[in-house]
């Protein structure tokens, strides 16, 4: 056989082998990437952990530690407006005094960081809410979406006993607050379960919001990690209570 033909055939074989090896390598890399993505989705990301810790410390009024963790939240990738929204959201579950103290502390943290040359990302502002329907009905609809249960026409239980609180709950919490799009429903539920866990003695509400957390996309593994993340800020007794409620919720959702 002609030497030039032999060289050509050898070159083609090498090229074919190289392409095959390259294809295998790329396929392996893609598999690894897919596994890494799946793995990252199983755990809480740094922003979620920041939301948990900031919410818990705000609810308890632990200002010195909160000051550190607010900076940590910014370093973890939370924007200024996201943290402001977290602190505003906390007031619905732990009151204005703790929420405002959190906001005042955050103002100081931002100024301190600016003095060190750190310009934090402001993030997006809340969109204007299209208030083209009755606020009570909007809130009732959002609550139905969160719980997966259509809301009754007439309130019952505490809502029937004190109709004013039912109105405030639907119109303000689930319309005014939950309609704001700086945080997702899932992030708002993370704030909520963090505050309820931190204040303690509110197991029925915690159970309800852990169920909603599952509905808004947090996995059982992530909620178990939530307990691990919040534990150092709330102590052993409250952590045990949270773990007990979470186990009940996960068992009932199997």
């Amino acid at each position: 056989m002609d030497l030039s033909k032999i060289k050509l055939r050898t070159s083609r074989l090498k090229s074919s082998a190289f392409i095959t090896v390259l294809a295998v390598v790329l396929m392996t890399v893609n598999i690894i990437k897919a596994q890494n993505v799946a793995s990252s989705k199983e755990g809480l990301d740094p922003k979620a952990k920041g939301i948990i810790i900031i919410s818990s410390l705000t609810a308890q009024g632990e200002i010195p530690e909160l000051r550190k963790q607010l900076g940590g939240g910014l370093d973890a990738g939370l924007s200024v407006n996201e943290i402001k929204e977290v602190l505003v959201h906390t007031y619905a579950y732990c009151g204005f005094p703790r929420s405002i103290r959190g906001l005042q502390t955050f103002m100081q943290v931002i100024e301190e960081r600016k003095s060190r040359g750190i310009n934090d990302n402001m993030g997006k502002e809340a969109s204007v809410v299209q208030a083209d329907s009755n606020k009570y009905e909007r809130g009732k609809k959002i609550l139905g979406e969160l719980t997966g249960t259509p809301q009754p026409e007439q309130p019952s239980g505490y809502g029937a006993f004190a109709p004013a609180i039912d109105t405030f709950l639907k119109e303000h919490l689930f319309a005014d607050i939950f309609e704001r799009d700086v945080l997702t429903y899932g992030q708002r539920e993370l704030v909520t379960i963090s505050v309820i866990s931190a204040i303690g003695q509110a197991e029925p509400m915690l159970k309800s919001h852990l169920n909603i957390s599952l509905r808004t996309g947090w996995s059982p593994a992530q909620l178990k990690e939530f307990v691990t993340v919040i534990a150092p800020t709330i102590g052993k007794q409250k952590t045990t209570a949270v773990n007990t409620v979470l186990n009940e919720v996960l068992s009932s959702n199997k």
Side-chain angles (χ1 to χ4, degrees):
M1 184 179 290
D2 187 85
L3 183 59
S4 62
K5 289 183 178 179
I6 293 174
K7 287 182 177 180
L8 179 61
R9 180 175 293 182
T10 302
S11 176
R12 284 175 178 174
L13 287 172
K14 287 181 178 179
S15 177
S16 176
F18 174 77
I19 291 170
T20 301
V21 171
L22 180 61
V24 171
V25 170
L26 289 174
M27 183 172 67
T28 303
V29 169
N30 286 335
I31 290 171
I32 292 170
K33 283 183 178 179
Q35 289 172 341
N36 287 340
V37 169
S39 175
S40 67
K41 286 183 178 178
E42 289 174 4
L44 295 169
D45 64 24
K47 289 175 65 172
K49 292 176 182 178
I51 288 173
I52 293 167
I53 295 170
I54 288 168
S55 301
S56 174
L57 294 172
T58 300
Q60 297 173 88
E62 298 287 350
I63 301 302
E65 184 60 26
L66 175 61
R67 186 186 304 276
K68 298 176 189 175
Q69 296 301 332
L70 286 166
L74 290 167
D75 292 336
L78 287 166
S79 70
V80 171
N81 284 333
E82 284 173 331
I83 293 180
K84 282 199 294 185
E85 199 72 20
V86 166
L87 296 171
V88 169
H89 186 105
T90 62
Y91 102 81
Y93 294 94
C94 64
F96 276 114
R98 291 287 164 84
S99 174
I100 291 173
R101 286 294 290 124
L103 287 164
Q104 290 170 332
T105 304
F106 191 35
M107 291 167 63
Q108 294 169 358
V109 168
I110 293 170
E111 288 305 312
E112 289 168 2
R113 288 168 68 90
K114 280 183 180 177
S115 69
R116 302 202 311 270
I118 302 172
N119 293 311
D120 293 300
N121 173 32
M122 288 301 297
K124 71 174 184 178
E125 299 279 351
S127 302
V128 177
V129 174
Q130 299 299 317
D132 54 358
S133 61
N134 180 277
K135 188 187 289 188
Y136 182 87
E137 292 302 321
R138 296 204 318 269
K140 189 164 75 170
K141 180 182 177 183
I142 290 172
L143 181 55
E145 291 172 0
L146 290 168
T147 61
T149 305
Q151 297 301 296
E153 289 300 317
Q154 297 297 325
S156 59
Y158 68 82
F161 180 68
I165 200 167
D166 178 70
T167 300
F168 297 155
L169 188 77
K170 303 274 196 330
E171 292 189 355
H172 186 44
L173 176 57
F174 291 107
D176 286 340
I177 297 178
F178 267 80
E179 279 187 315
R180 291 171 60 82
D181 59 1
V182 176
L183 300 177
T184 65
Y185 284 173
Q187 288 172 321
R188 289 191 181 281
E189 283 306 314
L190 209 55
V191 177
T192 301
I193 60 176
S194 299
V195 174
I196 295 175
S197 298
I199 62 176
Q201 302 297 314
E203 283 77 7
M205 290 74 189
L206 179 59
K207 184 176 182 179
S208 174
H209 283 282
L210 284 170
N211 273 301
I212 294 174
S213 296
L214 288 170
R215 284 189 52 80
T216 56
W218 299 111
S219 69
Q222 287 172 323
L223 291 180
K224 288 178 182 178
E225 188 178 0
F226 156 76
V227 179
T228 302
V229 172
I230 201 171
T233 71
I234 63 175
K236 185 176 179 181
Q237 185 174 352
K238 289 179 180 177
T239 299
T240 300
V242 173
N243 219 18
T244 299
V245 177
L246 176 59
N247 287 334
E248 290 175 4
V249 168
L250 296 181
S251 294
S252 65
N253 279 277
K254 284 183 178 178

